[in-house]
Amino acid sequence: MNTDFDDPAAGLRMALRRLAKAVVVITCVHDGRRYAMAATAVSEISMDPPTMLICINRTASIHEPLAAGADFCLNILHSGQADISANCSGKAKGDARFALGEWSDLGGRLILSGAQANIVCRNLKRIEAGSHTIFIGEVARTRQSGAVDPLLYVDGGYAVASSIRAAPSSAAASS
Ligand SMILES: Cc1cc2nc3c(=O)[nH]c(=O)nc-3n(C[C@H](O)[C@H](O)[C@H](O)COP(=O)(O)O)c2cc1C
């Protein structure tokens, strides 16, 4: 069954339920305060120089420190870290977001130790876009840990990735 939407925002919301994204917790420190927010609107831009972008709602508490120029870290979550994502997307507020998980320092930036990867970015520039601000960061340092096993967000819930293994061909299966 096909469903068409006349309202582009409503249609986009429904379409995006079908776009599986890896969950990232963005962190920064500003004026001695720690900030963290779960996000999926995160993308690579270029490798030369290595740059990333994040889209942040202007109402989010991390927006103000980022707009003030705070550098940020992208922590790509592991499939076992859905509780940290929930904490960093509204369940906990302020510094209580750091009660779950082990947080440490990488080159002066706040990183989640058990994350699959950490990408430390220098806050380069910003672009206003509707309700959100796009922040562009130049990658300064990265770290990876463990196997590739991301936490995904799809159809309004958390999921894990599994690879598609080629089914054995009938010739191979009968030999
Ligand atoms: C899986 C997931 C992905 C999200 N992605 C984004 C995002 O890319 N940008 C954004 O501004 N908010 C995103 N949010 C919403 C924020 O995490 C949430 O509104 C957060 O509570 C805002 O921070 P605050 O409570 O500190 O104001 C996402 C939430 C979830 C659960």
Side-chain angles (χ1 to χ4, degrees):
M1 190 188 78
N2 295 327
T3 312
D4 291 334
F5 290 87
D6 290 330
D7 174 359
L12 179 60
R13 208 166 283 123
M14 293 311 289
L16 290 180
R17 292 181 75 90
R18 293 156 189 254
L19 181 62
K21 303 292 288 279
V23 183
V24 172
V25 167
I26 302 166
T27 56
C28 72
V29 181
H30 185 62
D31 279 347
R33 279 221 190 92
R34 305 190 289 177
Y35 297 84
M37 189 191 88
T40 49
V42 173
S43 179
E44 66 279 22
I45 304 173
S46 94
M47 288 297 155
D48 185 19
T51 17
M52 297 291 293
L53 69 77
I54 55 177
C55 302
I56 308 291
N57 196 314
R58 272 195 289 277
T59 61
S61 59
I62 201 169
H63 187 276
E64 196 183 317
L66 291 175
D71 292 338
F72 53 90
C73 181
L74 309 177
N75 301 279
I76 305 175
L77 295 191
H78 181 270
S79 65
Q81 294 176 318
D83 52 351
I84 294 178
S85 173
N87 238 19
C88 295
S89 58
K91 194 172 168 192
K93 291 284 175 192
D95 213 62
R97 290 191 178 165
F98 297 91
L100 280 183
E102 199 184 308
W103 301 87
S104 55
D105 190 278
L106 180 72
R109 306 289 168 243
L110 195 54
I111 66 159
L112 178 60
S113 302
Q116 286 200 109
N118 314 100
I119 304 174
V120 174
C121 296
R122 193 169 65 82
N123 194 334
L124 214 55
K125 64 170 158 181
R126 66 181 208 253
I127 300 163
E128 302 303 329
S131 55
H132 284 55
T133 302
I134 302 165
F135 292 94
I136 296 177
E138 183 169 8
V139 177
R141 246 182 118 161
T142 66
R143 205 195 72 152
Q144 296 174 55
S145 75
V148 176
D149 183 13
L151 175 68
L152 302 181
Y153 194 75
V154 63
D155 198 16
Y158 295 105
V160 296
S162 59
S163 25
I164 297 171
R165 304 213 184 279
S169 71
S170 51
S174 58
S175 62

